[in-house]
Structures are given as C-alpha cells and as structure tokens.
Amino acid sequence: MREDITPKNIIMIGPTGVGKTEIARRLASSIRAPFIKVEASKFTEVGYVGRDVDSMIRDLVKISISMVEKEEMEKVKDRAKAAATDKLLDILLPRPSHYGEEDTGYEERLKRYETSRAKIRKQLEEGVLDEREVEITQTHQPGGNMVEVFSSSGLDEISGDMGEMLNKILPERKQTMKAHVSEAKEILLRQEAEKLIDQNKVVQEAIRRTENSGMIFLDEIDKIAARSTDMGSSSPDVSREGVQRDLLPVIEGTTVNTRWGMVRTDHILFLAAGAFHTSRPSDLIPELQGRFPIRVELDALDREAFFRILTEPRNALLKQYTALLATEGVTLDFSENAVREIAQIAETLNSSLQNIGARRLHTVMERVLEELSFDAPTRGGEKVKVDVRYVKSMLREVLKDEHLSHYIL
C-alpha cells in the first residue's frame, strides 16, 4: 500500500510572527528533507505573465541537488584536499623541465625540487602562505548563463536542452584569476571534489529525495482564497481561484518536467500557512480543501512565550546580541527580570499597535541596545549589566509617546 498512501498535508492558521515558517523549517531540518518556502500570492494563473506553480518543484529539485552534492563532496573531501594541495604546489613551484638525455643536471634539479616542495607543503598546512597571491584557472560552461536566463523566465524544460546543446557546440571557457592562497585552496578543493563525484548519481538521488521526502511551505495561502464578497465579482482578484486550480494537480500528484528529468509530486508534503484574517480555509475551492486534512490553529504569542523565545533556542536573540558585542570586547549580562520586562513590553506593544508576533522582539531589543552598540568600539573590556532599570530607561521616551512608538517599535 506504500504507493497509495498520500501525504497528510497541513494548513497552519495563525497571525504573523507566531512561528509558522520556523516550525516548517525545523521539521524539514530534523529529517534532512529538501525544503522550500514559496508565497502562494506570487504565482499567476497559467496564460498570464509570471511564475507558474510548476516552478516551485523545479526550485525544490535544485535545493535537493545542492544537498546531495554537499554530502557527496564531504565523502571525497580528503581525496579532493590532497589533489587540490598538489595542484597548488604545482602553481607555487613548477616542476623542473627535462631537456632530454643530454640534460645531466636534471636529477640534481629534481632532488632540490622535491626538497623545496616538501617545505612548501608544510608551510601550506601551517597557513604561512595564506596571504600570498597566486594565479588559478577556472572553467566555465558556455551554456550556464542561458540556463539561468530560461530558468528565471519559467522555461526550465527549454533551459536544459539549450544548455546541453551549447555545451556540445561551444568549448569550455577558461578564465585566469588572481587570488590569495587561502582563497585558492577553497576554489581548487571544490574543483577537485566536483571531479570526484558522479553528477548523474547526484541528480538521481536528488530526484528520489524530492519525490519521497520533499517539503514545500506554501505561505500566504489565504491571499489566494476567494472571499465570499468576491463571488460573482468581475474583479481581477477572482483569478486567485485560477491559481488554486493550478496548484491542485501539483498537490494531488502529477509529473512535472524539469531539466533533470520528470519529477512526481505524489508524495511531496505541502504545508500551507496563512493568517486568514478576512477569509477562512473554507473559502478555498473544495478540491483543495480536501487535500489538507490537518488543520492547526496557532495562538498569538504571550509574554511567557516571548521569554522562552529570548532564552531557550540555541540562536536566541539574547545570545546573538551577547556574541555580537563580545566581538567589540563588551560583555553583556542580562538579568532574568530584565528579560521578562522586554517580553512584557513586546506583548503590550503587540496588543496596542499591530500584532507582528515574535518579530516585535527584534525592534525592542534593537532599541534597548542601540546606544550600547553604537558606543561599543570605545567601551572594549567593559561588562554591562542589563537590568529592569536599564531596559526602562532605554524605552521610556518611546513608550511614553504613542505616536513615536508607531515608527520606532
């Protein structure tokens, strides 16, 4: 029954900034699935100028190929590093020429060359030569630019054929560039790794992952829902139903033509999200509603949620600002009461102004630490205690003037 079990697509309903996109990203990251976020409102109905719905499948395949390439390059990293080092050594110290049998000094020159090469190899490993400038050659496929032009125009199936044709007709273009040794190492490492991996196997594996574990996050799906007030209207907004009908076969399961081959969408997981302030999921066409069996409603964030967002994640805002100011030699120390005060202010502002969810924390934190960030270069070595009094002193004037808070917070 494996082929017959369809994905349980999800609609997430909730105001902006409650973490709909972040939930989808973390879900994809935890299972190492190819993931792409697209905005449903950016698509146009077939026949109109703009991006068609099939383009999101092509973009998902590109991301999947990048993921598989990265994994394969990691597997051959040691071999590629050795080959790149040898190539860099050849650039830094060319092998001595041999002038035939009468060249009696060749053996001696070769011994000196091997000794010097060993010394330079050690210097390379120690990073002594990183700032030295060298010339390296990069190879470009002539069809690459044409592929990008057609892809950006939505003509992806044409781009592949055009690119392959140009690659066969036109020779590879080589470009010589100057770079520091540290940069040349990375360029040559990538070149050698690309030679060691089988691109056909990479594409096959990428398509398999896309078809079996790919995830597409359809944001702003409420923007293409035909509201009841639009029914019977001749407004151009009615074309939103056309976009829904274009999305339907992709979500139901179809085959999309890409320049890497045909890709089936039957088992791709779709996560849709929207605020649904002026519309409801029931305003979507019935066929599309039936393809999203799981409905999740997310509540607006409160002060306790803001406090946890500020403190618990590995990349929490407090940790980010602490690390940023540490680069200037300033040590930040947030008291728990100060963090709770920031969380409370964010909640108050969301209720009195527009509710923008967790994004409000960015504006509040920036205002709290704005002055310190500006003065940080001259305050190296200091330890700054951020307590409730400090937070209130930084936000007092803005919070007092409601008109000003609209613009700053």
Side-chain angles (χ1 to χ4, degrees):
M1 293 177 64
R2 180 175 180 176
E3 286 296 313
D4 299 320
I5 297 174
T6 55
K8 296 179 182 179
N9 298 322
I10 302 165
I11 286 185
M12 290 188 279
I13 305 160
T16 181
V18 297
K20 299 186 292 292
T21 307
E22 190 65 17
I23 288 169
R25 283 191 201 281
R26 294 299 175 99
L27 179 60
S29 176
S30 65
I31 60 172
R32 297 172 66 195
F35 172 84
I36 186 171
K37 176 192 172 184
V38 294
E39 292 179 7
S41 57
K42 295 292 174 68
F43 293 119
T44 57
E45 192 176 349
V46 169
Y48 291 87
V49 175
R51 286 180 69 83
D52 63 279
V53 295
D54 288 354
S55 63
M56 63 184 175
I57 304 299
R58 300 186 190 107
D59 291 342
L60 186 64
V61 176
K62 284 181 189 175
I63 288 167
S64 186
I65 287 173
S66 296
M67 284 178 66
V68 177
E69 268 186 349
K70 191 174 180 180
E71 290 173 11
E72 292 299 312
M73 284 183 175
E74 194 61 35
K75 291 177 185 176
V76 299
K77 188 177 179 180
D78 292 338
R79 289 162 58 197
K81 188 176 180 181
T85 301
D86 286 338
K87 187 165 277 190
L88 195 53
L89 284 168
D90 291 338
I91 295 170
L92 290 166
L93 186 67
R95 193 178 184 86
S97 303
H98 187 251
Y99 302 112
E101 294 180 3
E102 296 179 1
D103 187 2
T104 54
Y106 175 71
E107 291 297 326
E108 184 62 33
R109 291 202 307 277
L110 190 60
K111 285 180 183 177
R112 290 200 302 270
Y113 165 77
E114 295 294 346
T115 304
S116 300
R117 189 180 176 93
K119 288 179 181 177
I120 294 175
R121 184 187 293 275
K122 188 178 179 183
Q123 289 176 334
L124 275 177
E125 291 170 357
E126 294 172 350
V128 176
L129 304 175
D130 280 357
E131 295 303 313
R132 186 168 172 179
E133 204 172 63
V134 293
E135 279 192 359
I136 57 172
T137 303
Q138 286 187 294
T139 304
H140 300 281
Q141 290 289 349
N145 292 335
M146 189 63 71
V147 168
E148 292 304 318
V149 170
F150 279 109
S151 294
S152 61
S153 306
L155 302 173
D156 202 82
E157 60 274 13
I158 298 176
S159 71
D161 298 334
M162 183 65 72
E164 287 179 17
M165 184 180 73
L166 288 174
N167 287 342
K168 290 176 182 177
I169 296 172
L170 301 173
E172 290 183 340
R173 185 164 58 89
K174 293 186 176 181
Q175 179 185 6
T176 302
M177 60 174 285
K178 289 185 177 181
H180 289 111
V181 167
S182 56
E183 185 185 350
K185 280 180 188 176
E186 297 302 318
I187 295 171
L188 293 172
L189 179 62
R190 181 168 183 83
Q191 287 179 358
E192 295 304 317
E194 286 174 349
K195 291 177 187 176
L196 291 170
I197 62 175
D198 187 335
Q199 198 62 35
N200 289 329
K201 286 184 179 178
V202 167
V203 170
Q204 288 172 13
E205 173 62 17
I207 290 176
R208 187 194 68 77
R209 287 193 195 183
T210 301
E211 292 180 335
N212 292 286
S213 61
M215 292 173 60
I216 294 178
F217 183 73
L218 275 170
D219 201 9
E220 296 186 349
I221 197 166
D222 55 321
K223 302 285 177 60
I224 62 166
R227 296 186 288 271
S228 54
T229 54
D230 293 332
M231 299 303 179
S233 168
S234 59
S235 165
D237 287 345
V238 176
S239 68
R240 291 179 296 198
E241 188 173 312
V243 176
Q244 291 183 58
R245 296 201 177 277
D246 288 346
L247 280 169
L248 185 60
V250 180
I251 295 173
E252 282 184 331
T254 187
T255 303
V256 176
N257 187 17
T258 73
R259 76 171 191 257
W260 302 280
M262 307 300 282
V263 178
R264 291 177 58 199
T265 67
D266 302 64
H267 294 95
I268 292 175
L269 180 66
F270 288 85
L271 298 96
F276 288 98
H277 290 311
T278 57
S279 60
R280 302 180 300 274
S282 57
D283 290 328
L284 296 166
I285 59 174
E287 301 92 328
L288 197 59
Q289 289 181 49
R291 284 291 163 180
F292 288 91
I294 300 176
R295 309 280 173 87
V296 183
E297 189 167 353
L298 290 88
D299 298 326
L301 299 172
D302 57 16
R303 71 184 68 179
E304 186 57 35
F306 284 142
F307 177 77
R308 294 183 64 193
I309 289 167
L310 283 169
T311 55
E312 290 184 18
R314 180 180 56 82
N315 61 340
L317 270 181
L318 294 187
K319 297 172 185 175
Q320 290 183 31
Y321 277 100
T322 301
L324 282 169
L325 286 165
T327 62
E328 301 285 1
V330 177
T331 304
L332 271 183
D333 182 19
F334 289 90
S335 71
E336 183 178 330
N337 288 338
V339 180
R340 292 198 179 277
E341 181 68 19
I342 291 169
Q344 183 179 341
I345 290 169
E347 183 189 41
T348 304
L349 289 167
N350 273 349
S351 59
S352 61
L353 305 176
Q354 188 177 3
N355 187 356
I356 59 172
R359 295 184 180 94
R360 183 71 67 187
L361 292 172
H362 285 271
T363 56
V364 174
M365 284 292 297
E366 189 59 36
R367 183 65 184 178
V368 168
L369 297 173
E370 182 180 44
E371 189 178 303
L372 180 59
S373 297
F374 186 80
D375 295 334
T378 61
R379 298 181 64 173
E382 287 188 31
K383 183 174 181 178
V384 179
K385 177 78 172 177
V386 180
D387 53 18
V388 175
R389 190 172 64 176
Y390 185 92
V391 172
K392 286 182 175 178
S393 67
M394 290 293 107
L395 296 174
R396 184 184 297 114
E397 294 301 321
V398 182
L399 291 173
K400 191 187 298 180
D401 189 337
E402 188 177 338
H403 182 70
L404 192 61
S405 66
H406 275 77
Y407 291 94
I408 295 180
L409 297 175

Coordinates of all heavy atoms in Angstrom, one line a residue, residues 355-391:
N355 N -0.2 43.5 15.8 CA 0.4 42.3 16.3 C 1.3 41.7 15.3 O 0.9 41.1 14.3 CB -0.7 41.3 16.7 CG -0.1 40.0 17.4 OD1 1.1 39.9 17.5 ND2 -1.0 39.2 17.9
I356 N 2.6 41.8 15.5 CA 3.6 41.2 14.5 C 4.3 40.0 15.1 O 5.4 39.6 14.6 CB 4.6 42.3 14.0 CG1 5.4 42.9 15.1 CG2 3.8 43.3 13.1 CD1 6.5 43.8 14.6
G357 N 3.8 39.5 16.2 CA 4.4 38.3 16.8 C 5.8 38.5 17.3 O 6.2 39.5 17.9
A358 N 6.6 37.4 17.1 CA 8.0 37.4 17.7 C 8.9 38.5 17.0 O 9.9 38.8 17.5 CB 8.6 36.0 17.5
R359 N 8.5 39.0 15.9 CA 9.3 40.0 15.2 C 9.4 41.3 16.0 O 10.3 42.1 15.8 CB 8.7 40.3 13.8 CG 8.8 39.1 12.8 CD 8.3 39.5 11.5 NE 8.3 38.3 10.6 CZ 7.3 37.5 10.3 NH1 6.2 37.7 11.0 NH2 7.5 36.5 9.5
R360 N 8.4 41.5 16.9 CA 8.5 42.6 17.8 C 9.7 42.6 18.7 O 10.2 43.7 19.0 CB 7.2 42.7 18.6 CG 7.1 43.9 19.5 CD 6.8 45.1 18.8 NE 5.4 45.1 18.1 CZ 5.0 46.0 17.3 NH1 5.8 47.0 17.0 NH2 3.8 45.9 16.8
L361 N 10.1 41.4 19.0 CA 11.3 41.3 19.9 C 12.6 41.9 19.3 O 13.4 42.5 19.9 CB 11.6 39.8 20.2 CG 10.5 39.1 21.1 CD1 10.8 37.7 21.2 CD2 10.5 39.8 22.5
H362 N 12.7 41.8 17.9 CA 13.8 42.4 17.2 C 13.8 43.9 17.4 O 14.9 44.5 17.7 CB 13.7 42.1 15.7 CG 14.1 40.6 15.4 ND1 15.4 40.3 15.2 CD2 13.4 39.5 15.3 CE1 15.5 39.0 14.9 NE2 14.2 38.5 15.0
T363 N 12.7 44.6 17.2 CA 12.7 46.0 17.3 C 12.9 46.5 18.7 O 13.6 47.5 19.0 CB 11.3 46.5 16.8 OG1 10.2 45.9 17.5 CG2 11.1 46.2 15.3
V364 N 12.3 45.8 19.7 CA 12.5 46.2 21.1 C 14.0 46.0 21.5 O 14.6 46.9 22.1 CB 11.6 45.3 22.0 CG1 11.9 45.6 23.5 CG2 10.1 45.7 21.7
M365 N 14.5 44.8 21.2 CA 15.9 44.5 21.6 C 16.9 45.5 20.9 O 17.9 46.0 21.5 CB 16.3 43.1 21.1 CG 15.8 42.0 22.0 SD 16.5 42.0 23.7 CE 18.2 41.7 23.3
E366 N 16.6 45.9 19.7 CA 17.5 46.8 18.9 C 17.4 48.2 19.6 O 18.4 48.9 19.8 CB 17.0 46.9 17.5 CG 18.0 47.7 16.6 CD 19.4 47.1 16.5 OE1 19.5 45.9 16.6 OE2 20.3 47.9 16.5
R367 N 16.2 48.6 20.1 CA 16.1 49.9 20.7 C 16.8 49.9 22.1 O 17.5 50.8 22.5 CB 14.6 50.2 20.9 CG 14.3 51.5 21.5 CD 14.8 52.7 20.6 NE 14.6 54.0 21.3 CZ 15.0 55.1 20.7 NH1 15.5 55.2 19.5 NH2 14.8 56.3 21.4
V368 N 16.7 48.8 22.8 CA 17.3 48.6 24.1 C 18.8 48.7 24.0 O 19.5 49.4 24.9 CB 16.9 47.3 24.8 CG1 17.8 47.0 26.1 CG2 15.4 47.3 25.2
L369 N 19.4 48.1 23.0 CA 20.9 48.1 22.9 C 21.5 49.0 21.8 O 22.6 48.9 21.5 CB 21.3 46.6 22.6 CG 20.9 45.6 23.7 CD1 21.2 44.2 23.2 CD2 21.7 45.9 25.0
E370 N 20.6 49.9 21.3 CA 21.1 50.7 20.2 C 22.3 51.6 20.6 O 23.3 51.7 19.9 CB 19.9 51.6 19.8 CG 20.2 52.5 18.6 CD 19.0 53.4 18.2 OE1 18.3 53.9 19.1 OE2 18.7 53.5 17.0
E371 N 22.1 52.3 21.7 CA 23.2 53.2 22.2 C 24.5 52.4 22.5 O 25.6 52.9 22.2 CB 22.7 53.9 23.5 CG 23.5 55.1 23.9 CD 23.0 55.8 25.1 OE1 21.8 56.3 25.0 OE2 23.7 55.8 26.2
L372 N 24.3 51.3 23.2 CA 25.5 50.5 23.6 C 26.2 49.9 22.3 O 27.4 49.9 22.2 CB 25.0 49.3 24.4 CG 26.2 48.3 24.9 CD1 27.2 49.1 25.7 CD2 25.6 47.2 25.8
S373 N 25.4 49.5 21.3 CA 26.0 49.0 20.1 C 26.8 50.1 19.4 O 27.9 49.8 18.8 CB 24.9 48.5 19.1 OG 24.2 47.4 19.7
F374 N 26.3 51.3 19.4 CA 27.0 52.5 18.8 C 28.3 52.8 19.5 O 29.3 53.1 18.8 CB 26.1 53.7 18.8 CG 26.6 54.8 18.0 CD1 26.5 54.9 16.6 CD2 27.2 55.9 18.7 CE1 27.1 56.0 15.9 CE2 27.8 57.0 18.0 CZ 27.7 57.0 16.6
D375 N 28.3 52.7 20.8 CA 29.5 53.1 21.6 C 30.4 51.9 21.9 O 31.5 52.1 22.4 CB 29.0 53.7 23.0 CG 28.3 55.0 22.8 OD1 28.5 55.7 21.8 OD2 27.4 55.3 23.7
A376 N 30.0 50.7 21.5 CA 30.8 49.5 21.8 C 32.3 49.6 21.4 O 33.2 49.2 22.2 CB 30.2 48.3 21.1
P377 N 32.7 50.2 20.2 CA 34.1 50.2 19.9 C 35.0 51.0 20.9 O 36.2 50.7 21.0 CB 34.1 50.9 18.5 CG 32.8 50.6 17.9 CD 31.8 50.6 19.1
T378 N 34.3 51.9 21.6 CA 35.1 52.7 22.6 C 34.9 52.1 24.0 O 35.5 52.7 25.0 CB 34.6 54.2 22.6 OG1 33.3 54.2 22.9 CG2 34.9 54.8 21.2
R379 N 34.2 51.0 24.2 CA 33.9 50.5 25.5 C 34.4 49.1 25.7 O 33.9 48.3 26.5 CB 32.4 50.6 25.8 CG 31.8 52.0 25.8 CD 30.4 52.0 26.1 NE 30.1 51.5 27.4 CZ 28.8 51.6 28.0 NH1 27.8 52.1 27.3 NH2 28.6 51.1 29.2
G380 N 35.5 48.7 24.9 CA 36.1 47.4 25.0 C 36.6 47.1 26.4 O 37.2 47.9 27.0
G381 N 36.3 45.9 26.8 CA 36.8 45.5 28.2 C 35.7 45.7 29.3 O 35.9 45.3 30.4
E382 N 34.6 46.4 28.9 CA 33.6 46.7 30.0 C 32.6 45.5 30.1 O 32.4 44.8 29.1 CB 32.8 47.9 29.6 CG 33.6 49.2 29.8 CD 32.7 50.4 29.6 OE1 31.5 50.3 29.9 OE2 33.2 51.5 29.1
K383 N 32.0 45.4 31.3 CA 30.9 44.5 31.5 C 29.7 45.3 31.8 O 29.7 46.1 32.7 CB 31.2 43.5 32.7 CG 30.2 42.5 32.9 CD 30.6 41.5 34.0 CE 29.5 40.4 34.2 NZ 29.9 39.4 35.2
V384 N 28.7 45.1 31.0 CA 27.4 45.9 31.1 C 26.3 45.0 31.6 O 26.0 44.0 31.0 CB 27.0 46.5 29.7 CG1 25.7 47.3 29.9 CG2 28.1 47.3 29.2
K385 N 25.7 45.4 32.7 CA 24.6 44.7 33.4 C 23.3 45.3 32.8 O 23.0 46.5 33.0 CB 24.7 44.9 34.9 CG 23.5 44.2 35.6 CD 23.7 42.7 35.7 CE 22.6 42.1 36.6 NZ 22.8 40.7 36.7
V386 N 22.5 44.5 32.1 CA 21.2 44.9 31.6 C 20.1 44.5 32.6 O 19.8 43.3 32.7 CB 21.0 44.4 30.2 CG1 19.6 44.8 29.7 CG2 22.1 44.8 29.2
D387 N 19.6 45.4 33.4 CA 18.6 45.1 34.4 C 17.3 45.8 34.0 O 17.2 46.5 32.9 CB 19.0 45.4 35.8 CG 19.5 46.9 35.9 OD1 19.2 47.7 35.0 OD2 20.2 47.2 36.9
V388 N 16.3 45.7 34.8 CA 15.0 46.3 34.5 C 15.1 47.8 34.4 O 14.5 48.4 33.5 CB 14.0 46.0 35.7 CG1 12.6 46.7 35.4 CG2 13.7 44.5 35.7
R389 N 15.9 48.4 35.2 CA 16.0 49.9 35.2 C 16.7 50.3 33.8 O 16.3 51.3 33.3 CB 16.9 50.4 36.4 CG 16.9 51.9 36.5 CD 17.6 52.3 37.8 NE 19.0 51.9 37.8 CZ 19.9 52.3 38.8 NH1 19.4 52.9 39.8 NH2 21.1 51.9 38.7
Y390 N 17.7 49.6 33.4 CA 18.3 49.9 32.1 C 17.3 49.8 31.0 O 17.3 50.6 30.1 CB 19.5 48.9 31.9 CG 20.3 49.2 30.7 CD1 21.5 50.0 30.7 CD2 20.0 48.7 29.4 CE1 22.2 50.3 29.6 CE2 20.7 48.9 28.3 CZ 21.9 49.7 28.4 OH 22.6 50.0 27.3
V391 N 16.5 48.7 31.0 CA 15.6 48.5 29.9 C 14.6 49.6 29.9 O 14.3 50.2 28.8 CB 14.8 47.1 30.1 CG1 13.7 47.0 29.1 CG2 15.8 46.0 29.9

